[in-house]
Amino acid sequence: SHQLYILPRVKKRMTSTTAFVSDQQESPRFSSNSSPNNLLPLSTLTHTYYALRHGQSLANVQKIISSDPKISTTQHGLSEIGKQQAAKAGQELTQSIFDPTKHQGIAIYTSDFKRARETAQIVASAVKESENEIPFYKNDTQINVSLRERYFGLWNGKSDTHYHDVWTLDAASADHTDNQVESVNSVMYRTTELVLSLEHELSNSYDASKEEEEKERKPWLCVLVAHGDVLQIVQTGFKKMDGTTHRSLDHLETATLRHLSLENQTIH
C-alpha cells in the first residue's frame, strides 16, 4: 500500500490566462514581481534531495509521449530493462549514497504514474532489504501528484520526437502553453512548492519521545522519483536558473540518481 499525499494548492496572483496542467487544475500565473521558483529566496535546505528518473518504461520502448494521468497512472509501466535499471539504482542509493553518519534515513516520494510508482517500489525494496537496516520514512513510498509528468497536451500519445517541438518553444518562453502543453513555470511552481512542503514535513518527523538533541538530528535523504521534463525543470529551480534553460542541463537518463544542490546553499 502507498500513502497518497496531495499538496494543498496555494493561492497566487493570477492573470487572465491559465495553463492546462496534469492534474486538470488551473495553473498559477505570475506577475512581474513574483517568481514560479519557490526556492529562490532560500540560501539553505535542511534535508538532502536526489532526483531519480523512472526506469525505462513501455512508453519509452514504444517511443510515444505518455503524460495523461487517465492513461499513465494505469498503463506504460516499466519494461524488464526498466526494472533492472531501478534495482541498480536501489543498490546505488543504499550502498553508495546513503551515509548513516550524515543521514537520518531515506524518504521516497514518487509521481503517481505507473512507471514512477514501480521504480519507487523497487528502490524501496532495496532500502528495506539493506543489510545496513536503513530507517525508511513511514516505511513506505509517498505518492504525490506534484511529481507527475509535465502534461504535453495535444502531443500526448504521439511520437516522442515532438518533445523537441516543445523544448524549442520552452527556450523562448517558460510560460508558453502551445498545443495545450503545461508551461515550464507551472512545473517549476508545483515542484518547488513540494520541496518547501517536504522541508516542513520531514523536519517535523523526528521522534520527540526520544528527546533527541537538535544537534544530533540528521537530515533525511529524500528521493524524488519522477519524469524527464519534471526533473530537468526542478533542477533549474535548485540552481536558481530561469526555466527556459532546462534543456541546457545534462540530460537525466532513465533510472539515474542525481543530487539536487541548492545554489548558494550554506555548507555546514
Side-chain angles (χ1 to χ4, degrees):
S1 63
H2 303 274
Q3 300 190 26
L4 178 62
Y5 173 76
I6 300 178
L7 194 66
R9 295 195 66 77
V10 176
K11 291 183 179 179
K12 283 277 186 177
R13 186 177 300 173
M14 310 281 281
T15 65
S16 59
T17 58
T18 55
F20 190 106
V21 296
S22 60
D23 59 358
Q24 314 299 316
Q25 294 176 308
E26 289 189 340
S27 166
R29 305 294 288 175
F30 309 95
S31 62
S32 59
N33 61 354
S34 66
S35 169
N37 184 1
N38 293 285
L39 302 181
L40 209 56
L42 303 184
S43 60
T44 187
L45 291 169
T46 300
H47 304 285
T48 302
Y49 294 88
Y50 270 78
L52 174 59
R53 187 178 169 197
H54 61 79
Q56 184 193 71
S57 72
L58 298 177
N60 295 142
V61 173
Q62 296 171 36
K63 297 186 180 299
I64 60 171
I65 295 174
S66 176
S67 67
D68 184 346
K70 294 177 182 177
I71 298 171
S72 305
T73 53
T74 60
Q75 297 179 35
H76 303 144
L78 296 182
S79 67
E80 287 305 313
I81 289 175
K83 292 173 183 176
Q84 294 169 14
Q85 291 175 331
K88 186 175 180 181
Q91 290 178 347
E92 180 185 357
L93 178 68
T94 56
Q95 297 175 15
S96 302
I97 296 175
F98 177 77
D99 184 343
T101 68
K102 296 179 180 179
H103 302 129
Q104 186 81 13
I106 293 176
I108 299 176
Y109 290 81
T110 179
S111 157
D112 62 340
F113 281 20
K114 188 174 183 180
R115 54 193 185 265
R117 293 198 322 267
E118 290 182 348
T119 300
Q121 289 165 7
I122 292 170
V123 173
S125 293
V127 175
K128 292 178 180 179
E129 295 166 7
S130 171
E131 296 178 356
N132 299 329
E133 297 184 355
I134 300 171
F136 185 24
Y137 182 65
K138 293 188 176 180
N139 205 39
D140 204 351
T141 56
Q142 308 298 304
I143 294 176
N144 195 296
V145 298
S146 292
L147 292 171
R148 278 179 175 173
E149 176 62 297
R150 178 185 186 184
Y151 184 68
F152 282 94
L154 299 181
W155 296 124
N156 194 70
K158 294 183 169 59
S159 168
D160 61 10
T161 58
H162 292 297
Y163 284 134
H164 294 278
D165 297 321
V166 177
W167 295 338
T168 298
L169 295 171
D170 288 350
S173 172
D175 284 316
H176 91 82
T177 58
D178 286 48
N179 292 298
Q180 299 179 9
V181 170
E182 182 183 6
S183 73
V184 169
N185 278 340
S186 171
V187 177
M188 177 81 79
Y189 181 84
R190 62 177 164 96
T191 54
T192 56
E193 182 186 41
L194 172 62
V195 173
L196 292 186
S197 175
L198 298 186
E199 280 285 284
H200 180 73
E201 178 183 341
L202 293 171
S203 294
N204 286 340
S205 71
Y206 299 112
D207 190 350
S209 66
K210 293 182 179 179
E211 298 182 352
E212 295 170 303
E213 291 285 339
E214 192 166 324
K215 64 182 179 181
E216 294 177 356
R217 294 176 177 174
K218 298 185 284 287
W220 284 93
L221 175 56
C222 183
V223 181
L224 307 178
V225 185
H227 309 266
D229 261 42
V230 168
L231 294 175
Q232 290 292 129
I233 293 167
V234 79
Q235 284 179 85
T236 66
F238 272 79
K239 291 179 178 292
K240 301 182 179 177
M241 297 166 58
D242 192 270
T244 56
T245 66
H246 73 92
R247 293 310 306 175
S248 71
L249 302 177
D250 288 344
H251 179 67
L252 190 64
E253 299 291 347
T254 51
T256 299
L257 283 154
R258 182 175 293 172
H259 182 220
L260 298 171
S261 178
L262 185 67
E263 184 71 16
N264 299 325
Q265 184 162 357
T266 304
I267 306 300
H268 298 286

